[in-house]
Amino acid sequence: MKKIKREIIKYISKNEALDLTEEIFVEGWDNFIAYLRNNGLYDYIEVLYNAPLPELTWKKMEFNLCGITKKTGNDYEIEFNINYLYSEDAYEFLRSTVLHELAHYICDVLFDDFSHGDLFVCVCNILGDSGEKNGVYSSPTNEPIQNFVKCTCGFCMNFSDEEFKNIIEENCTCPRCNKLIKYII
């Protein structure tokens, strides 16, 4: 077996991302509810409390998407692009994207509006985000992540095209646990 010698890439694990996503979501939610309460907008609070909360999920998406808020019937789902967890600015990505997608959810529930208009920017600002619609975040190599390998121990590695080809063709072991790498993201 060939031993992989790679520099360890800083990344946020999926479990850590799930915890941080919920924490940022709740913080943004609480800020928005406090804003409504401070301004006597109690009817909006009631509408939000009666709406189903979105399911928060992580998926591999095209690199031009950070996240997306979807509505199916009365149910909402917010999907986040897992690729960005493996970048140097993953925490910035996470905070901005969670608040951005939360703003879409709030705008749709309260105003039936999914657009990036003035209302959306106002809600983003209340939540603590700028409201920019195109976040640009880097991968570990400042390029879209395409050749990603994840070991069963959870260690993740990003490879160039040539390195990735060699991994597929040869039996390579994980630098963390020394087991054969079997799972390719």
Side-chain angles (χ1 to χ4, degrees), residues 144-163:
I145 296 173
Q146 296 173 2
N147 302 320
F148 211 79
V149 176
K150 180 178 180 184
C151 179
T152 54
C153 74
F155 185 76
C156 299
M157 296 154 280
N158 187 27
F159 294 93
S160 69
D161 288 339
E162 189 60 36
E163 290 171 321

Side-chain angles (χ1 to χ4, degrees), residues 43-162:
D43 290 343
Y44 287 141
I45 295 172
E46 187 175 335
V47 170
L48 285 173
Y49 281 151
N50 289 324
L53 287 173
E55 179 183 356
L56 307 176
T57 61
W58 286 91
K59 296 185 178 175
K60 190 169 185 178
M61 298 183 212
E62 292 295 319
F63 217 79
N64 60 346
L65 288 174
C66 294
I68 189 165
T69 301
K70 296 178 177 180
K71 181 179 181 184
T72 307
N74 290 327
D75 295 326
Y76 289 88
E77 179 182 14
I78 299 177
E79 296 177 354
F80 300 99
N81 191 341
I82 199 166
N83 286 322
Y84 286 108
L85 295 182
Y86 306 94
S87 66
E88 292 177 4
D89 46 12
Y91 288 98
E92 179 185 333
F93 153 76
L94 196 59
R95 179 162 186 73
S96 178
T97 305
V98 169
L99 295 177
H100 179 102
E101 297 306 328
L102 174 57
H104 277 304
Y105 165 77
I106 289 171
C107 285
D108 189 64
V109 168
L110 293 180
F111 310 108
D112 194 29
D113 185 355
F114 263 121
S115 74
H116 287 103
D118 293 339
L119 178 63
F120 172 80
V121 173
C122 181
V123 170
C124 280
N125 290 328
I126 293 167
L127 295 172
D129 186 51
S130 67
E132 285 186 42
K133 60 181 174 180
N134 292 325
V136 178
Y137 305 97
S138 62
S139 72
T141 60
N142 287 326
E143 298 171 357
I145 296 173
Q146 296 173 2
N147 302 320
F148 211 79
V149 176
K150 180 178 180 184
C151 179
T152 54
C153 74
F155 185 76
C156 299
M157 296 154 280
N158 187 27
F159 294 93
S160 69
D161 288 339
E162 189 60 36

